[in-house]
């Protein structure tokens, strides 16, 4: 369920690959298709979706959930929590962008910050870049991660959408939000 929601939300970045590679195209144009996905909902449906994100707890990502993939092959316990965070961020960021009343701002920042605090954006099934028995957790405490998997790139796209839509708002609240975004986007 979360994967379907996330895929629907992330497609907006990749639906028109020619436009996304066009350096003259503005980001507004590139993401407009995704914005239209949420704007196709009735106002009541859109509001309900964003308000649901407003009331949900931000899922806790635990090392034991990450290691579960190496123990049992179960990737969904950890991944579902990751997907839920990203769907929440997109819903809140797009909801605030459309409503512009500030009622989603605090939760949006909390979800964004939680994603920025993640040790890695690489999902457990893709953490096979180094051999051996200790590959059950990612090497994610250096300055830079030396590989990018598809989920890391998709996460970068999700946080970039929030950054693009709300960069000025984040700066007014605290410049450290944008500073942390730029640091983690470069590091991850």
């Amino acid at each position: 369920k979360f994967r379907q929601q996330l895929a629907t939300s992330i497609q907006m970045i990749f639906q028109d690959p020619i436009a996304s590679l066009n350096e003259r195209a503005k980001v507004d144009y590139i993401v407009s298709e995704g914005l239209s996905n949420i704007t196709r909902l009735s106002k009541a449906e859109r509001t309900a979706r964003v308000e649901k994100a407003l009331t949900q707890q931000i899922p806790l990502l635990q090392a034991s959930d990450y290691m579960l993939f190496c123990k049992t092959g179960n990737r969904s316990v950890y991944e579902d929590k990751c997907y839920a965070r990203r769907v929440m961020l997109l819903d809140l960021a797009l909801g605030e962008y459309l409503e512009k009343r500030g009622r989603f701002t605090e939760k949006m920042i909390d979800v964004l910050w939680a994603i920025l605090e993640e040790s890695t954006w690489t999902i457990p099934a893709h953490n096979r870049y180094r051999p051996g028995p200790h590959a059950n957790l990612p090497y994610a405490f250096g300055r830079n991660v030396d590989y990018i998997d598809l989920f890391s790139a998709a996460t970068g796209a999700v946080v970039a959408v929030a950054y693009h839509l709300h960069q000025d708002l984040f700066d007014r609240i605290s410049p450290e939000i944008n500073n942390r975004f730029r640091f983690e986007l470069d590091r991850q």
Side-chain angles (χ1 to χ4, degrees):
K1 180 180 174 184
F2 289 126
R3 290 179 188 159
Q4 289 172 336
Q5 288 176 327
L6 185 61
T8 301
S9 300
I10 290 178
Q11 283 177 330
M12 68 183 177
I13 303 301
F14 303 109
Q15 282 179 349
D16 185 0
I18 301 304
S20 67
L21 297 174
N22 180 351
E23 69 277 2
R24 291 174 292 199
K26 293 184 177 183
V27 174
D28 288 343
Y29 169 76
I30 295 169
V31 302
S32 65
E33 209 170 331
L35 289 174
S36 70
N37 285 341
I38 198 168
T39 57
R40 282 185 207 137
L41 300 173
S42 71
K43 186 173 182 178
E45 291 170 321
R46 185 174 60 239
T47 301
R49 182 173 165 158
V50 179
E51 286 178 346
K52 179 182 176 191
L54 189 61
T55 61
Q56 287 177 313
Q57 291 291 318
I58 300 169
L60 176 64
L61 299 176
Q62 298 177 313
S64 58
D65 293 340
Y66 198 98
M67 292 186 292
L68 193 59
F69 174 74
C70 284
K71 287 182 184 175
T72 67
N74 183 324
R75 56 191 285 171
S76 63
V77 171
Y78 186 86
E79 289 178 20
D80 286 351
K81 293 175 184 181
C82 284
Y83 294 131
R85 283 181 170 199
R86 283 130 183 95
V87 169
M88 287 173 70
L89 178 59
L90 282 172
D91 285 346
L92 293 162
L94 295 174
E96 184 57 38
Y97 177 78
L98 295 169
E99 191 177 273
K100 293 182 176 48
R101 290 192 352 213
R103 68 186 182 120
F104 305 121
T105 300
E106 188 172 301
K107 182 68 176 249
M108 174 181 56
I109 291 170
D110 286 344
V111 177
L112 174 62
W113 199 259
I115 292 170
L116 296 176
E117 286 187 331
E118 292 174 11
S119 297
T120 184
W121 294 345
T122 302
I123 54 177
H126 297 176
N127 184 31
R128 307 310 298 166
Y129 67 96
R130 45 181 201 151
H134 302 292
N136 58 353
L137 284 174
Y139 173 79
F141 46 84
R143 167 78 172 114
N144 294 309
V145 177
D146 56 359
Y147 60 93
I148 300 174
D149 76 325
L150 181 59
F151 190 76
S152 297
T155 298
V158 168
V159 297
V161 168
Y163 173 81
H164 173 71
L165 296 177
H166 301 292
Q167 179 180 3
D168 294 339
L169 172 66
F170 295 157
D171 267 339
R172 283 193 305 275
I173 293 168
S174 173
E176 292 310 314
I177 299 167
N178 289 328
N179 291 339
R180 180 69 183 269
F181 160 79
R182 287 186 292 272
F183 174 81
E184 291 299 335
L185 192 63
D186 182 55
R187 184 183 79 84
Q188 295 277 5

